[in-house]
Amino acid sequence: GDSVTQMEGPVTLSEEAFLTINCTYTATGYPSLFWYVQYPGEGLQLLLKATKADDKGSNKGFEATYRKETTSFHLEKGSVQVSDSAVYFCALSNYGNNRLAFGKGNQVVVIP
Amino acid sequence: EAGVVQSPRYKIIEKKQPVAFWCNPISGHNTLYWYLQNLGQGPELLIRYENEEAVDDSQLPKDRFSAERLKGVDSTLKIQPAELGDSAVYLCASSTGQGAAKNIQYFGAGTRLSVL
């Protein structure tokens, strides 16, 4: 079945550092890919998405490019802020079934 | 515009007791989802509704879990009886179910259940 794999473990970094969170997927066909963010005490919020190969999703300084050849959708931000501290989830949806398959999530902690 | 509203935010019960969670989706969203999120894991789909019809409930443990969306708007998820392993966060989400935004799901803050 469809699945998403995120890199293991929390990510701790200093303010203004570069952030990368790896995400790879396994799916039949041509899924849509998403990054969701969960701030403490809040629900998941859509951060960005890409619906076809080579699409780049971007929002709030975050970017991710849909790479079909490597089945990846890595999240990047050039200069993180303390307010970016949250849990980040990579997810996919195969068009037609509306079921989101999530990765395990990565806790990001940004230290001032 | 109001987002997805869930209640209660927290619930503590003893095992073997019943419990119910309520969800009010974004106005006009035809599709409603219930997800289970265990600690340190991503959400997993329990059930999906298109209007009042449950179209994907293959992951719902039907021996103790039930859900309804009688008028195609609000939904209730019930567990009876609850077990220790049911301790988790229960998330509700909704989407338009149509067009280009079909796959974009909007989540509520969740209900954190603790079974003692």
Side-chain angles (χ1 to χ4, degrees):
Chain A
D2 298 342
S3 67
V4 173
T5 301
Q6 290 183 234
M7 53 191 280
E8 291 290 330
V11 178
T12 302
L13 60 170
S14 299
E15 203 166 21
E16 298 184 1
F18 185 88
L19 171 68
T20 299
I21 305 176
N22 290 341
C23 170
T24 58
Y25 68 89
T26 301
T28 57
Y30 303 93
S32 295
L33 302 174
F34 306 83
W35 277 100
Y36 277 83
V37 58
Q38 189 172 31
Y39 298 103
E42 299 184 15
L44 279 78
Q45 302 174 23
L46 178 65
L47 181 59
L48 53 84
K49 68 180 176 68
T51 57
K52 60 183 187 297
D54 299 326
D55 267 2
K56 177 185 285 188
S58 61
N59 185 27
K60 298 181 180 180
F62 290 88
E63 293 183 339
T65 301
Y66 189 152
R67 300 288 188 198
K68 189 166 177 61
E69 63 274 15
T70 54
T71 61
S72 65
F73 193 54
H74 304 322
L75 182 68
E76 297 180 337
K77 186 174 185 181
S79 177
V80 292
Q81 305 301 312
V82 172
S83 56
D84 294 324
S85 298
V87 181
Y88 292 81
F89 292 93
C90 184
L92 72 80
S93 176
N94 251 321
Y95 194 76
N97 69 18
N98 274 7
R99 178 186 293 195
L100 277 173
F102 285 89
K104 292 185 176 182
N106 286 101
Q107 173 86 50
V108 172
V109 177
V110 181
I111 300 171
Chain B
E1 178 184 280
V4 176
V5 179
Q6 290 187 248
S7 69
R9 286 297 309 276
Y10 304 93
K11 188 74 176 179
I12 302 173
I13 61 171
E14 295 187 347
K15 63 181 180 182
K16 300 185 181 179
Q17 294 300 305
V19 65
F21 315 124
W22 176 80
C23 173
N24 182 241
I26 292 173
S27 177
H29 280 195
N30 298 326
T31 308
L32 183 145
Y33 313 78
W34 283 101
Y35 286 87
L36 165 68
Q37 185 177 18
N38 286 306
L39 186 64
Q41 303 293 318
E44 299 175 11
L45 182 71
L46 289 172
I47 189 168
R48 172 169 67 95
Y49 282 92
E50 297 286 350
N51 299 302
E52 64 274 11
E53 181 182 359
V55 296
D56 184 354
D57 63 356
S58 58
Q59 306 281 76
L60 190 72
K62 298 181 184 63
D63 56 336
R64 296 184 300 107
F65 286 65
S66 64
E68 60 183 16
R69 194 185 185 199
L70 293 176
K71 297 183 179 179
V73 181
D74 295 3
S75 177
T76 303
L77 177 69
K78 298 179 182 178
I79 308 175
Q80 184 171 8
E83 298 179 352
L84 295 177
D86 296 331
S87 296
V89 176
Y90 292 83
L91 296 169
C92 179
S94 69
S95 66
T96 65
Q98 302 170 15
K102 180 177 181 179
N103 284 353
I104 299 177
Q105 298 183 23
Y106 298 85
F107 285 80
T111 296
R112 183 177 296 276
L113 173 67
S114 296
V115 182
L116 306 178

